[in-house]
Amino acid sequence: MEKKNIEWSKLGFDYIKTDYRFVAKYKDGAWDEGTLSKDAQVVMSESAAVLQYAQTVFEGMKAYTTADGKIVTFRPDLNAERMIQSAQRLEMPVYPKDKFIDAVCQTIKANAAYVPPYGSGATLYVRPYMFGSNAVIGVKPAEEYEFRVFVTPVGPYFKGGVKPLTICISDFDRAAPHGTGNIKAGLNYAMSLHPYMECHRKGYDENMYLDPATRTKVEETGGANFLFVTKDNKIVTPKSNSILPSITRRSLLYVAKEYLGLETEEREIYLDELGDFAECGLCGTAAVISPVGKVVLHDKEICFPSGMNDMGPTTKKLYETLTGIQMGSIKAPEGWIYEVC
Ligand SMILES: *Cc1c(COP(=O)(O)O)cnc(C)c1O
C-alpha cells in the first residue's frame, strides 16, 4: 500500500479529509449494516435533533504504525463501552460494542494510506460519533440516528519538544453535580468554549475546573483528566462522578502499579493540597500526558517542583512506558492492542 504524500512531522491537529468514513443508520428501532462511504458530507433535516437540542455523543482514539509495521489501535473496547454509557444518558440507541470495534477497524483499514509511518510521531486520529438525525421540534429524543466514524492524520503532540503547561483555575463550572460531566458529549464542549477562550485571552493554556458543589476539589480540564505525583512518588488522580473516565488515565494507573511498582490512589483532591504535589500532568488520547508546570488561581501561583522546562521524572517514566506499550516496544497487557491490519 502506498502512503499519501503528506509531510507527517508537519501535521497539526486539524481536520484533513480522508478517503472513507463508516456510516450506519438507525431507523424503525434497528441499525442497518453500515457501510464505508466516500462522501464526507452529512445531509439531514434543518430540524434534526442534533442541530436543535445537541443530541450527539462522540469518542476519540488513535491508530498508528508499530515498530514491526502493523497498524494497531489502543483499547477500542473501552471506547465502545464509554460510547454506550454516553448514548444511554442522552436517550440514544446503543451501538453494539463488537460492531463499534468492527466499524473503527474497517475505517482505519480503508484509510491505511493515511496512517502515519512508525517513528514519524504522527498518528491517525479516529472519531466515532452518533447523532439524532430526524426532525424534532417538541423536546424529545430523535427516532432516527447516524453512527459514523471518520479518521484524520494528526501531527506529533510535542512538536519542538515538551513544554509544561500553565493552567488557570476557572471561575466557570464544567459540569453539574448530577449532570453530564461523565459522558463524552458535544454539549460539554459547547459550554466550555467560552471559558477556554477566556483562559487563552489571559495567556493560560488550559482551565482547571473545580467540583461545582463546593468549588474546593479538582475535577479536570475541558478535555483531559489530571494526574498528580506526590513527593513520595505515589500517583494520585481525582475521584468524582462528574469527570469523564479517561481511558489514558485508567491505563496510566495500571502502568504505574503493574509496570513501575508505584502506589496509586483515586481519591478526592482538594485545591489546597495542590502545593504538596511534586508533579502534575494532563492525560488524554491526544498527548498521553502533558506536563503541567504551574497552576494559577487569581493572583496566587502554585509551581510544581518539576518546573517549566521538562516533564517530571515520574511523569516521564509513565509517558515512556505507556507510549512504549502502544508502539510495541514494551509488551502490552493482554487485550490492549488491537491489530487492524
Ligand atoms: C475525551 C476526554 C478525556 C480523555 O479521555 P481519553 O479516553 O483518555 O482520551 C478527558 N476529559 C474529557 C472531558 C474528555 O472529553
Side-chain angles (χ1 to χ4, degrees):
M1 176 255 322
E2 209 176 309
K3 293 284 179 191
K4 299 283 172 178
N5 185 18
I6 294 173
E7 279 199 81
W8 308 106
S9 63
K10 297 229 169 94
L11 286 171
F13 199 86
D14 297 299
Y15 173 80
I16 292 170
K17 192 175 107 182
T18 53
D19 295 342
Y20 294 96
R21 68 280 306 124
F22 182 86
V23 184
K25 295 190 174 173
Y26 182 90
K27 198 177 175 177
D28 301 325
W31 288 105
D32 69 10
E33 269 306 293
T35 181
L36 290 168
S37 164
K38 289 197 124 177
D39 186 358
Q41 303 299 311
V42 179
V43 178
M44 64 185 146
S45 166
E46 63 188 351
S47 198
V50 56
L51 298 178
Q52 303 309 326
Y53 302 124
Q55 200 186 14
T56 178
V57 297
F58 69 98
E59 273 304 324
M61 49 209 291
K62 278 178 171 178
Y64 42 88
T65 310
T66 57
D68 54 358
K70 292 193 176 100
I71 295 175
V72 302
T73 185
F74 184 70
R75 308 188 81 180
D77 50 324
L78 298 188
N79 294 95
E81 284 166 14
R82 193 168 63 187
M83 192 161 183
I84 290 172
Q85 310 288 319
S86 300
Q88 285 172 333
R89 179 65 176 79
L90 297 192
E91 288 291 333
M92 302 168 84
V94 157
Y95 198 73
K97 185 167 150 179
D98 53 334
K99 295 184 89 171
F100 175 104
I101 296 170
D102 182 55
V104 162
C105 289
Q106 276 192 54
T107 316
I108 297 167
K109 201 170 170 179
N111 295 293
Y114 289 94
V115 182
Y118 176 75
S120 65
T123 54
L124 189 75
Y125 184 73
V126 182
R127 170 55 59 88
Y129 62 115
M130 194 205 290
F131 53 90
S133 54
N134 68 292
V136 294
I137 196 72
V139 177
K140 59 171 186 263
E143 278 156 5
E144 294 172 17
Y145 294 85
E146 289 193 22
F147 168 84
R148 288 175 167 257
V149 185
F150 71 75
V151 297
T152 191
V154 296
Y157 192 85
F158 297 115
K159 231 184 276 175
V162 173
K163 202 185 147 285
L165 305 175
T166 301
I167 305 267
C168 82
I169 295 175
S170 182
D171 291 326
F172 293 94
D173 292 326
R174 174 183 171 270
H178 304 284
T180 53
N182 59 341
I183 62 164
K184 212 167 174 74
L187 59 92
N188 290 329
Y189 280 79
M191 67 84 227
S192 77
L193 296 174
H194 178 61
Y196 181 73
M197 293 308 291
E198 285 283 284
C199 127
H200 271 233
R201 285 189 279 262
K202 289 181 199 148
Y204 305 118
D205 298 305
E206 268 295 348
N207 279 310
M208 171 185 280
Y209 292 104
L210 303 178
D211 76 296
T214 70
R215 295 191 60 84
T216 58
K217 290 174 269 183
V218 175
E219 295 247 302
E220 61 171 321
T221 68
N225 284 181
F226 278 103
L227 175 147
F228 297 95
V229 182
T230 65
K231 288 190 173 135
D232 53 3
N233 221 20
K234 187 163 146 185
I235 310 299
V236 195
T237 63
K239 190 183 174 79
S240 156
N241 49 24
S242 47
I243 67 179
L244 199 277
S246 157
I247 294 164
T248 313
R249 189 245 307 156
R250 288 182 270 162
S251 304
L252 286 166
L253 286 180
Y254 183 90
V255 163
K257 209 155 117 192
E258 304 297 330
Y259 284 68
L260 304 177
L262 301 174
E263 239 186 283
T264 61
E265 191 181 14
E266 244 181 291
R267 63 163 170 88
E268 295 182 320
I269 295 176
Y270 287 85
L271 198 48
D272 58 16
E273 50 173 325
L274 283 184
D276 300 340
F277 294 118
E279 300 174 35
C280 171
L282 295 181
C283 6
T285 294
V288 179
I289 314 185
S290 24
V292 174
K294 196 194 291 185
V295 178
V296 180
L297 170 58
H298 300 145
D299 50 0
K300 203 172 104 193
E301 282 193 351
I302 297 157
C303 299
F304 296 104
S306 51
M308 294 305 293
N309 293 317
D310 206 353
M311 282 192 187
T314 301
T315 305
K316 192 172 217 155
K317 253 187 234 150
L318 282 169
Y319 175 82
E320 283 171 354
T321 311
L322 185 55
T323 51
I325 287 171
Q326 291 178 329
M327 292 299 170
S329 62
I330 297 174
K331 192 172 166 9
E334 187 73 32
W336 277 25
I337 307 293
Y338 279 59
E339 202 177 309
V340 174
C341 51

